[in-house]
Amino acid sequence: MIIRPFNAAHLLLLALAAGAVVLLWVLLRGQPERCRSAVLIALCAANIIGFFVYKGFLSRDMQFLEVSGLDRFNWFSELPMQLCNINMFLIPIGILTKRRSLLGFAFFVAPLAALMALVFPEAPFVGYSLWMPRMLGFYATHILIIVCGLSLVTLGFYRPQFRDIPGIAGTFFLLGIGALAVNFLLRHTVCPPANYFFVYGGDVDISILNLFWKWLPVPFLYELPALLILVGYMALICRLFSAWDRCRDRQSATV
């Protein structure tokens, strides 16, 4: 089962992610909030464990190092602090604290980042069998991030609203500042290539971020155009939910 972008196996994995969201909804709809919370938190905990097991295999994968052009594996550049995998921690915190800014980030931003990673995977995760440890770990981790993030809405923990957008943008900014500080510390100590949240644009293999870096070659601040695009994306999704709610209210009123 070789995985390449948009081949049958790859599309099947994307369909699996969508199907898992639906399956969770079918199994948990009507269940008490405590039960739904426990399931999502347990899935995040399982994903955290699976993430470190996957990275453990990756640390011994010589082919991964060769394809990535790395001399050695550095754990400090593989921590769960990226835009997508930080969701494994944000979702439990958001559910327990009921902070809408965290839940909104966990719904809007992290699943989108995980989807981009799946749709445009890096070279070590393209053209190999799914059953290789690094392939299985990469795709399973990112799929579960998407499933848990989207399930926040389908299971009733979060409903997108326009009033949430400033808080979510603020959360993105604060997390980015935190990532910048972590990267600065790591780059000057144990991990020169550290680049969580892609705050250093010159080291990113993403064309649109490279374009932003050319416009504004300042760490993290160069991502502000991406934040504006994100705000537009969130506004569009909120409008769709608002229209859906109005339609449902009209139908209820006519019954």
Side-chain angles (χ1 to χ4, degrees), residues 16 36-37 56 77 86 101 127 131 170 172 195 240 253:
L16 178 63
R36 290 178 277 124
S37 300
S77 64
I86 198 173
S101 58
W131 309 119
F172 177 92
N195 195 17
L240 291 176

Side-chain angles (χ1 to χ4, degrees), residues 10 13-22 24 40 43-44 47 83-85 87-88 91 106-119 138-154 233:
H10 187 247
L13 287 176
L14 297 179
L16 178 63
V21 174
V22 175
L24 273 182
L40 270 190
L43 286 175
C44 289
N47 208 15
L83 277 168
C84 54
N85 52 39
N87 231 26
M88 298 186 293
I91 287 177
F107 169 71
F108 281 112
V109 183
L112 184 61
L115 180 62
M116 293 297 290
L118 290 178
V119 173
F138 173 82
Y139 285 95
T141 298
H142 285 82
I143 285 174
L144 200 50
I145 288 169
I146 293 172
V147 170
C148 290
L150 298 184
S151 293
L152 288 172
V153 167
T154 60
Y233 163 73

Side-chain angles (χ1 to χ4, degrees), residues 65-217:
L65 296 178
E66 180 182 351
V67 176
S68 301
L70 300 174
D71 295 327
R72 62 185 181 87
F73 185 88
N74 192 326
W75 276 97
F76 289 100
S77 64
E78 299 290 340
L79 299 174
M81 294 176 56
Q82 287 290 16
L83 277 168
C84 54
N85 52 39
I86 198 173
N87 231 26
M88 298 186 293
F89 300 95
L90 291 185
I91 287 177
I93 295 172
I95 289 176
L96 293 174
T97 63
K98 300 186 184 300
R99 293 185 65 88
R100 292 188 61 84
S101 58
L102 292 181
L103 293 172
F105 184 96
F107 169 71
F108 281 112
V109 183
L112 184 61
L115 180 62
M116 293 297 290
L118 290 178
V119 173
F120 304 106
E122 296 178 351
F125 307 104
V126 178
Y128 301 95
S129 170
L130 176 64
W131 309 119
M132 294 179 63
R134 78 164 179 271
M135 296 287 286
L136 191 59
F138 173 82
Y139 285 95
T141 298
H142 285 82
I143 285 174
L144 200 50
I145 288 169
I146 293 172
V147 170
C148 290
L150 298 184
S151 293
L152 288 172
V153 167
T154 60
L155 296 181
F157 294 104
Y158 177 72
R159 193 75 177 174
Q161 296 181 3
F162 288 103
R163 64 184 175 90
D164 297 332
I165 293 178
I168 298 170
T171 298
F172 177 92
F173 188 82
L174 290 176
L175 289 174
I177 293 295
L180 179 62
V182 170
N183 287 328
F184 182 84
L185 177 63
L186 291 177
R187 283 183 170 229
H188 288 81
T189 53
V190 295
C191 186
N195 195 17
Y196 296 111
F197 270 55
F198 309 119
V199 298
Y200 294 98
D203 297 339
V204 176
D205 190 21
I206 302 175
S207 57
I208 189 169
L209 291 184
N210 287 332
L211 177 61
F212 295 158
W213 181 258
K214 290 180 181 179
W215 294 347
L216 182 65

